[in-house]
């Protein structure tokens, strides 16, 4: 872990990270002394069978925010719950790509991260994860040992670039700045289109 000095110990905090594996949401909070709440796909909250029910219980107990990625309006509404986390002075983790990288590259960010940052005024700390895709690659269910790195960067200064959370151009400019900071930290190749 590097860059912990860039993470405020208290107050609202938006952690914007690349996304390589489902284990990212385990390793990122382990690197911090404070609780981190995430947005998670709704399927994690409706699991079946013993394993699915355990995941569902854990997500609800831990205060994670469900998002229905198949319903754009519902996904946008879930941002209000995420904003509530920040307005309560808590730490919120988000993967601006909206999904795991299919090939290890960094993809274009969705503008919800900028809306949250501009609406809440919370500092945005970029995060670069590496090695988590070796711990649990897509399609596998049994983790394996691997070296994991979590790097926190300096907060992204959005004030000179964007101010209005309701302005699409401001949201895009802020999101692009955040993604550039993540790319610089992670060293990943950047793909200027959304991941599928």
């Amino acid at each position: 872990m590097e860059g912990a000095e860039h993470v405020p110990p208290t107050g609202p905090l938006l952690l914007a990270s690349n996304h390589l594996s489902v284990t990212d949401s385990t390793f990122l909070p382990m690197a911090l002394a404070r609780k981190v709440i995430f947005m998670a796909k709704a399927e994690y909250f409706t699991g079946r069978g013993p394993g699915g029910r355990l995941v569902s219980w854990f997500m609800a107990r831990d205060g994670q925010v469900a998002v229905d990625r198949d319903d754009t309006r519902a996904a946008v509404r879930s941002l209000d719950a995420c904003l509530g986390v920040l307005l309560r002075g808590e730490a919120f983790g988000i993967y601006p790509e909206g999904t795991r990288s299919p090939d290890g590259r960094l993809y274009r960010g969705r503008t919800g991260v900028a809306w949250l940052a501009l609406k809440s005024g919370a500092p945005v700390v970029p995060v670069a994860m590496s090695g988590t895709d070796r711990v649990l690659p897509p399609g596998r269910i049994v983790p394996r040992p691997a070296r994991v790195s979590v790097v926190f960067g300096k907060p992204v200064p959005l004030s000179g670039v964007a101010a209005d959370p309701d302005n699409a151009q401001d949201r895009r400019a802020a999101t692009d700045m955040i993604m550039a900071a993540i790319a610089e930290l992670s060293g990943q190749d950047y793909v200027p289109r959304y991941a599928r």
Side-chain angles (χ1 to χ4, degrees):
M1 191 261 295
E2 296 176 38
E5 68 275 12
H6 301 306
V7 180
T10 60
L13 170 63
L14 189 54
L15 296 159
S17 180
N18 62 338
H19 195 19
L20 300 172
S21 168
V22 295
T23 63
D24 294 342
S25 298
T26 300
F27 286 104
L28 176 54
M30 286 174 57
L32 295 175
R34 55 187 299 188
K35 180 180 177 180
V36 180
I37 295 173
F38 291 92
M39 180 184 282
K41 62 183 179 179
E43 294 86 345
Y44 289 146
F45 295 82
T46 58
R48 296 184 182 164
R53 285 194 297 275
L54 179 65
V55 169
S56 177
W57 171 82
F58 175 78
M59 291 296 210
R61 180 196 64 87
D62 215 35
Q64 307 307 315
V65 178
V67 59
D68 183 350
R69 297 186 309 175
D70 295 329
D71 181 343
T72 304
R73 289 186 178 163
V76 169
R77 282 192 306 272
S78 68
L79 284 174
D80 287 329
C82 302
L83 178 62
V85 171
L86 294 167
L87 295 179
R88 290 192 305 268
E90 298 179 70
F92 184 75
I94 190 168
Y95 305 112
E97 293 168 278
T99 190
R100 285 173 287 165
S101 173
D103 56 15
R105 297 183 294 172
L106 185 69
Y107 283 78
R108 187 176 201 213
R110 299 189 181 269
T111 60
V113 65
W115 185 84
L116 287 170
L118 297 173
K119 200 83 169 168
S120 69
V124 181
V125 173
V127 182
M129 308 274 295
S130 64
T132 56
D133 54 336
R134 290 188 296 277
V135 171
L136 193 63
R140 297 193 70 146
I141 55 173
V142 178
R144 56 187 177 194
R147 186 175 186 84
V148 171
S149 172
V150 182
V151 180
F152 300 98
K154 293 180 182 176
V156 180
L158 299 177
S159 58
V161 174
D164 184 0
D166 297 319
N167 180 290
Q169 289 179 322
D170 279 8
R171 290 194 309 270
R172 174 47 53 201
T175 300
D176 289 347
M177 274 193 74
I178 293 165
M179 297 310 291
I182 296 170
E184 184 177 338
L185 280 179
S186 70
Q188 291 170 280
D189 290 333
Y190 180 73
V191 181
R193 67 176 188 273
Y194 296 123
R196 298 207 181 273

